Amino acid sequence: MLSGSCLCGAVRFTVSGKLGPVTHCYCETCRKAQGTACTTSAPLRRKYFELLSGAESIAEYESSPGKKRCFCRTCGSPLWSRRDDTPDILRLRLGVLDGDPGRRPAALIWVSE
C-alpha cells in the first residue's frame, strides 16, 4: 500500500495495487504543466486508487481534447491525469507519493520535443 498527498496536504489518497510502467515524458505540454524538464508518471487502475480527502480541492484542466490534468487548486501540485477514452485508468504523478513506489522508469518518451 502506498499513500500520497499534495504539497499542502488537502488532497490525500492511497494506492493498493501495482503501478504500471513508469515513464518520463518530455513533451512540451508535460514540461509546461509540471514546470520541470519532464513528467514522471505511471498508469494505475482506478479500482486501486482511493481518495481519502480533498475532493473539493481537486481541479481539472483539459490540456488536449479528452485529456484532463488534475491538480490541487490550493497549492497547485499536479496529481494525475485521465483520459475520457480510458475512464478506468489514471496516470499518477509519482512525485506526490509519500514513499518509494518500487518501480523505476521503463521509458523516456517524447524526447524529441
Side-chain angles (χ1 to χ4, degrees):
M1 175 92 59
L2 292 168
S3 62
S5 63
C6 63
L7 179 62
C8 71
V11 179
R12 295 186 183 282
F13 61 89
T14 59
V15 173
S16 61
K18 186 176 177 183
L19 296 170
V22 174
T23 60
H24 290 314
C25 182
Y26 290 84
C27 79
E28 182 178 2
T29 306
C30 282
R31 290 193 327 264
K32 289 189 179 281
Q34 303 297 124
T36 61
C38 67
T39 297
T40 302
S41 63
L44 175 69
R45 293 195 181 281
R46 279 189 189 252
K47 68 182 181 179
Y48 300 128
F49 178 86
E50 182 181 1
L51 185 62
L52 301 175
S53 65
E56 68 285 348
S57 295
I58 298 169
E60 292 185 335
Y61 172 70
E62 188 168 13
S63 60
S64 56
K67 181 173 181 174
K68 313 289 191 323
R69 293 174 180 272
C70 303
F71 58 94
C72 174
R73 69 175 72 244
T74 302
C75 65
S77 291
L79 301 166
W80 57 81
S81 64
R82 63 180 189 82
R83 292 186 172 276
D84 291 343
D85 60 355
T86 54
D88 63 326
I89 301 289
L90 299 176
R91 287 206 58 85
L92 188 62
R93 301 306 183 247
L94 298 190
V96 296
L97 292 174
D98 296 330
D100 184 346
R103 308 227 11 149
R104 298 299 173 254
L108 308 177
I109 59 174
W110 293 103
V111 177
S112 62
E113 285 193 18

